[in-house]
Amino acid sequence: RFHGEGYQEGYAEGSHAGVVEGRRYGLLHGAKIGSEIGCYLGFALTWQCLLQKCTDEKNSKKIRALDSLIGMIQKFPYEDPTYDKLQEDLEKIRGKFKQVCSMLNIQSDFRNSTERSSLTF
């Protein structure tokens, strides 16, 4: 009897701890993905505005790539954590971002760190 009661109490405690840990993990990683996607969108919108004034063929390819990246980001399912292709779509967005950076001749090194940056003189 004591063995059964102990098992039930331990199981309930473990389930509760697992839910709390899972929620914390989900919030942390969701925030990282949101920050990354937000950075990509801000980057793309800024470059789209900068390149709108130029109308040559070279820039039109860049603008089309930026439009494609913006469209992919806008279609990304932010509100659905159960979306099966979340990682797949995220990888496609990362790939498109790298392609756009290559076309613009910009280094694509998005870093999401929790460390504080410091200024040095």
Side-chain angles (χ1 to χ4, degrees):
R1 185 186 88 162
F2 292 117
H3 184 278
E5 288 175 6
Y7 174 81
Q8 291 299 326
E9 288 176 20
Y11 185 82
E13 176 102 10
S15 294
H16 177 70
V19 167
V20 170
E21 184 179 343
R23 182 173 288 130
R24 189 176 313 123
Y25 183 83
L27 285 171
L28 175 68
H29 288 281
K32 285 181 181 180
I33 290 173
S35 177
E36 181 181 358
I37 295 291
C39 178
Y40 296 158
L41 182 60
F43 172 88
L45 291 172
T46 301
W47 273 100
Q48 186 183 42
C49 288
L50 291 172
L51 293 175
Q52 279 182 342
K53 297 173 185 171
C54 306
T55 57
D56 60 345
E57 181 62 30
K58 199 177 201 181
N59 285 328
S60 71
K61 285 183 180 182
K62 294 174 186 176
I63 291 172
R64 281 196 304 271
L66 285 164
D67 289 341
S68 175
L69 177 61
I70 292 168
M72 291 169 76
I73 292 171
Q74 289 174 341
K75 291 177 187 171
F76 191 75
Y78 302 102
E79 302 294 323
D80 185 10
T82 61
Y83 179 63
D84 357 350
K85 295 184 179 181
L86 187 114
Q87 289 298 321
E88 191 177 311
D89 286 354
L90 187 57
E91 288 301 319
K92 287 179 183 176
I93 290 172
R94 287 174 179 151
K96 181 58 81 172
F97 174 72
K98 287 179 183 178
Q99 177 190 14
V100 167
C101 285
S102 175
M103 292 173 84
L104 295 170
N105 199 20
I106 295 173
Q107 284 186 337
S108 63
D109 61 345
F110 175 81
R111 290 190 191 119
N112 189 5
S113 69
T114 55
E115 301 169 10
R116 292 183 177 211
S117 61
S118 61
L119 295 175
T120 56
F121 297 98

